[in-house]
Amino acid sequence: MHLTQTAYAKINLALHVRARKENGYHELETLFAFVDAGDRLVAHGSNEDRFSVTGEFAGALTNPFDNIVMQALFTLPRPDGLAITLEKNLPVAAGLGGGSADAGAIFRMVRDGYGLPDDWRVRAAKLGADVPACVESETCVGRGIGTELEPVENDLAGMAVLLVNPRVALSTGPVFAKWGGGDDGPLPQGTAKDIFINGINGLEEPAVTLCPIVADILEQLRVTRPMAARMSGSGATCFALYNSDEERDMASQHIAAIRPDWWQMRGHLR
Ligand SMILES: C[C@](O)(CO)[C@H](O)COP(=O)(O)OP(=O)(O)OC[C@H]1O[C@@H](n2ccc(N)nc2=O)[C@H](O)[C@@H]1O
Ligand SMILES: Nc1ncnc2c1ncn2[C@@H]1O[C@H](COP(=O)(O)OP(=O)(O)OP(=O)(O)O)[C@@H](O)[C@H]1O
């Protein structure tokens, strides 16, 4: 048994927070999309489940026992163990659903190697609100707490995308806690492009309150004249979409010249 998967970086092309629920979670409507790059996972058959981490952001994951990769493995019945190596290329607590994407990749590995149990969606949602979307890693609309998924016409596939993160971790819970209440309203109607162009990220304002550098990233991305720039998820990563790789790469060079300390990733939307 030898399985490999990319844990595709998740971005929220739009995220409208609708209401706070009694249990503290928030009702939302979001347009999920995925970049064709991210963490890399390799699995080999083993007499027991094992886990090791390499890569630029391995140091941010200090306790392997509470890693979502192991939680995803434990929730999925299999006849044999798997030894997993995770190459952690995505920043942690960054709004890119990095841990959720890793869990999604484990679900796809187990699906390919052994098949998934019928209730895999329930098992995925228990690991985190973003995990069900990360299993298929295809552009879709999420409702409820983000786990009720609907297809959408994806007219953004292949668009050049640039991700920028200030290397400041921002946890999801505190950003939702700073959300001002009210209602961001429903997602706009139409294709993925319509929803992206006409939508917002309602968590941008609370994220900027906690992490003001997010506003600087958005300002610098907008200088590069993308189709649009927005924060992803609860931040602090922001992204911009471009009509060509050349425009995106020039934007990347502009940002690297003024802020060489900011993390960047280039790719295309799936
Ligand atoms: C911000 C998003 O990434 C957008 O895709 C998600 O809504 C969050 O997804 P996630 O990180 O997988 O979320 P979870 O791990 O389930 O929750 C982390 C914390 O975020 C808050 N949370 C999360 C999802 C949601 N709909 N409402 C919330 O208020 C809760 O305080 C929760 O304790
Ligand atoms: N494999 C993993 N990769 C990243 N974080 C993990 C992993 N396993 C556990 N975690 C923990 O999960 C928390 C959230 O990390 P993650 O990178 O998934 O957040 P995020 O990018 O903010 O996600 P979201 O977009 O859902 O808000 C971190 O505190 C981290 O310690």
Side-chain angles (χ1 to χ4, degrees):
M1 178 76 64
H2 174 84
L3 300 160
T4 60
Q5 279 286 343
T6 299
Y8 304 107
K10 170 225 70 168
I11 54 179
N12 301 87
L13 291 175
L15 199 172
H16 291 212
V17 188
R18 305 299 312 268
R20 186 175 181 279
K21 290 157 64 96
E22 292 215 332
N23 65 6
Y25 271 71
H26 292 74
E27 291 277 348
L28 50 86
E29 296 181 26
T30 186
L31 178 59
F32 287 112
F34 295 86
V35 183
D36 62 356
D39 297 338
R40 291 282 300 163
L41 289 97
V42 179
H44 293 282
S46 168
N47 53 354
E48 59 180 13
D49 288 340
R50 292 172 203 268
F51 179 58
S52 60
V53 193
T54 65
E56 181 176 355
F57 294 101
L61 301 175
T62 41
N63 183 355
F65 298 103
D66 74 0
N67 199 283
I68 195 169
V69 167
M70 289 305 265
Q71 293 168 20
L73 278 180
F74 291 153
T75 196
L76 295 173
R78 289 154 288 127
D80 314 305
L82 283 173
I84 308 281
T85 303
L86 167 65
E87 185 184 294
K88 192 73 206 167
N89 302 319
L90 296 173
V92 172
L96 297 175
S100 309
D102 295 341
I106 292 290
F107 273 62
R108 294 195 300 277
M109 280 177 162
V110 171
R111 180 192 66 195
D112 296 349
Y114 314 98
L116 285 173
D118 290 342
D119 65 347
W120 65 265
R121 286 183 183 79
V122 177
R123 295 176 194 240
K126 282 191 183 145
L127 294 173
D130 279 342
V131 178
C134 288
V135 176
E136 302 289 358
S137 287
E138 283 174 6
T139 303
C140 65
V141 168
R143 298 183 195 279
I145 63 162
T147 56
E148 296 162 27
L149 306 180
E150 286 170 18
V152 67
E153 185 185 332
N154 182 10
D155 53 356
L156 292 174
M159 287 283 299
V161 57
L162 177 64
L163 305 179
V164 180
N165 177 279
R167 296 184 190 271
V168 176
L170 190 55
S171 293
T172 303
V175 177
F176 272 109
K178 276 262 181 234
W179 179 67
D183 178 356
D184 294 334
L187 282 184
Q189 301 274 328
T191 66
K193 187 173 180 180
D194 298 327
I195 299 172
F196 173 52
I197 296 289
N198 299 313
I200 63 160
N201 183 342
L203 293 179
E204 256 175 42
E205 198 178 302
V208 168
T209 308
L210 292 170
C211 183
I213 205 164
V214 167
D216 300 338
I217 299 176
L218 288 170
E219 190 184 324
Q220 288 305 326
L221 282 172
R222 284 173 185 145
V223 167
T224 68
R225 301 191 142 284
M227 174 191 270
R230 191 159 289 153
M231 189 182 83
S232 179
S234 52
T237 305
C238 299
F239 65 93
L241 302 191
Y242 300 87
N243 287 313
S244 71
D245 290 7
E246 291 72 29
E247 286 173 57
R248 179 205 53 203
D249 294 347
M250 279 174 59
S252 169
Q253 284 165 20
H254 162 77
I255 303 248
I258 54 164
R259 290 305 300 252
D261 54 322
W262 286 353
W263 174 87
Q264 294 192 31
M265 195 174 82
R266 304 180 199 185
H268 298 98
L269 289 187
R270 279 164 52 83

